[in-house]
Amino acid sequence: RKLGDFTGIQQRSHDGAGSHNPFKSFVPALMDQLERDGKKRNLAVYERQPDVAGAGKRDFYRLDQAEIKPKLVAAGIPEERVERFVGDDDKSGSSSEHIRQSLYSLLMDVRAERIGVVAIRDVARLFRDPSQKGPVRFANACARAHVMVLTNKGGQWELLDMNDYGDRNTFIDWCRE
């Protein structure tokens, strides 16, 4: 499952209401991942609103992040399998997981193999870390637990396999931006 294999924006799909749903083409791969090795895992949606420095973008991020779970459900992921991780609002993306409780909880669930996919609006919501310590720790935990990351880069959703060297490096590079 390489970086370019699952590009939802290129395969325009729509939910029942007729609005664009970029997740429709990802559903088979997502469900395979959630049922990997016979284990039932959840899809985690991590949401973090900008800190004071990014307050001008707050409404944009809130609206966009709030749409992820409903669009995943509308695309065909069972609602009970989509878990939201929220509560790190106004904390910088450069803060460690020990300061951001929702990120810490997500990391613990990844390590416990309760999560199969992490969906984030963009990696800046998860990390903005020039030191790369947090992103590398997270990517390694995802690789050990066989967790994939679904994220948006430049208007295109990508499904990144943290066990694929190229995808993992792409994720870490995006966290540096």
Side-chain angles (χ1 to χ4, degrees), residues 2-14:
K2 302 274 185 215
L3 177 64
D5 290 350
F6 304 104
T7 51
I9 297 294
Q10 291 176 351
Q11 298 174 1
R12 300 241 178 238
S13 56
H14 297 79

Side-chain angles (χ1 to χ4, degrees), residues 39-54:
K39 297 178 184 177
K40 284 198 170 224
R41 299 179 187 203
N42 286 337
L43 189 152
V45 178
Y46 181 80
E47 300 176 22
R48 181 186 63 82
Q49 300 306 320
D51 60 7
V52 174

Side-chain angles (χ1 to χ4, degrees), residues 50-102:
D51 60 7
V52 174
K57 297 180 181 177
R58 185 176 305 264
D59 289 336
F60 167 74
Y61 283 117
R62 185 174 316 278
L63 177 64
D64 200 35
Q65 291 179 90
E67 292 176 354
I68 294 174
K69 180 177 180 176
K71 286 199 178 225
L72 284 164
V73 171
I77 304 296
E79 186 169 11
E80 65 275 6
R81 302 291 295 278
V82 182
E83 185 176 350
R84 291 176 64 222
F85 287 78
V86 297
D88 289 340
D89 294 357
D90 298 320
K91 294 180 180 149
S92 173
S94 61
S95 299
S96 80
E97 65 270 12
H98 301 291
I99 293 172
R100 296 188 285 151
Q101 188 58 45
S102 291

Side-chain angles (χ1 to χ4, degrees), residues 109-122:
D109 280 1
V110 163
R111 287 179 176 156
E113 298 185 6
R114 288 188 286 267
I115 302 297
V117 177
V118 175
I120 46 177
R121 188 226 172 264
D122 63 49

Side-chain angles (χ1 to χ4, degrees), residues 20 32 67 72 76 86 96 125 128 138 148 152 167:
H20 173 65
D32 284 349
E67 292 176 354
L72 284 164
V86 297
S96 80
R125 302 297 88 221
R128 189 176 296 125
F138 186 83
M148 299 180 90
N152 187 306
D167 283 4

Side-chain angles (χ1 to χ4, degrees), residues 1 29-30 33-34 36-37 39 41-45 106-119 126 138-150 159-164 167-168 171:
R1 295 176 183 167
L30 295 175
Q33 185 64 19
L34 297 181
R36 182 183 179 88
D37 300 326
K39 297 178 184 177
R41 299 179 187 203
N42 286 337
L43 189 152
V45 178
L106 173 60
L107 186 56
M108 293 300 102
D109 280 1
V110 163
R111 287 179 176 156
E113 298 185 6
R114 288 188 286 267
I115 302 297
V117 177
V118 175
L126 197 56
F138 186 83
N140 288 339
C142 287
R144 279 190 295 278
H146 300 282
V147 173
M148 299 180 90
V149 174
L150 178 64
L159 186 58
L160 303 175
D161 182 347
M162 294 295 107
N163 283 298
D164 179 89
D167 283 4
R168 186 169 49 220
F171 171 81

